[in-house]
Amino acid sequence: MSLLDIHVLGSPILRKETRPVVEFDDSLRSLIDDMFETMYAAKGIGLAAPQVGRLERLAVLDVDDNPFVIVNPEIVEAEGTVKGEEGCLSIPEIYADVERSSRVIVTALDREGKAFTIEATDLRSRCLQHEIDHLHGKLFIDYLSVLKRRSALAKWEGMRKDYPALIRNLALETEGEHHHDGEL
Ligand code: K1U
Ligand code: ZN
């Protein structure tokens, strides 16, 4: 397995539409394994393919010690709204409240291409919506008010010199170097 570089805000691939996966082979499963390893190394609860520079329509998640991969996911039902804090491994150290559907039903394929359905609430629902957004080129900052978005982008401008190639190399990031500075 290998750690993958994570693309950060400004990298054009984060704004691209992904392509449905049609072949469930060992190279796909190896990408999935690498994405899990990278998500855990980055201390995230989700990671979508564009974040590691790939356009396969898939994401990995692990909320409350329940790891799973969603390939070609679709939200087939959504209800209610709830505000909650979000972060993004591609926009390190920026956190903000985002309004999302409170409960979603998602259909997807697993690593073997077998269809499954997941019903989710709370953080798992939020994370599913955040990851599926990534698969359509959308980022959580897109939902912020003009003022909060401006403030998030101003903070990011001060940090982007840390990522001259617009990628995070997790192997080079030292423990405790980045910390949560509080909500916007
Ligand atoms: O896709 C990503 O960038 C991963 C992202 C997923 C996510 C976190 C929070 C809400 C929705 C989606 C992260 O894992 S950010 C780091 C994190 O673990 C976290 C941040 C804020 C709240 C809860 C968890
Ligand atoms: Zn994200």
Side-chain angles (χ1 to χ4, degrees), residues 81-154:
T81 52
V82 62
K83 242 186 193 183
E85 189 182 56
E86 295 194 17
C88 182
L89 298 178
S90 295
I91 319 176
E93 296 179 55
I94 309 284
Y95 299 85
D97 277 348
V98 177
E99 190 165 286
R100 297 276 188 187
S101 299
S102 47
R103 174 181 161 272
V104 290
I105 297 181
V106 171
T107 59
L109 304 175
D110 68 11
R111 59 194 289 140
E112 312 294 342
K114 187 169 176 289
F116 68 99
T117 302
I118 179 169
E119 179 185 342
T121 56
D122 304 307
L123 189 55
R124 186 170 299 125
S125 165
R126 179 170 297 281
C127 193
L128 277 165
Q129 292 171 73
H130 179 113
E131 300 311 328
I132 292 171
D133 271 354
H134 271 303
L135 302 179
H136 301 293
K138 201 161 170 78
L139 301 173
F140 82 95
I141 54 168
D142 302 343
Y143 294 102
L144 303 184
S145 66
V146 172
L147 277 179
K148 288 199 171 168
R149 189 180 152 95
R150 204 177 280 160
S151 143
L153 292 176

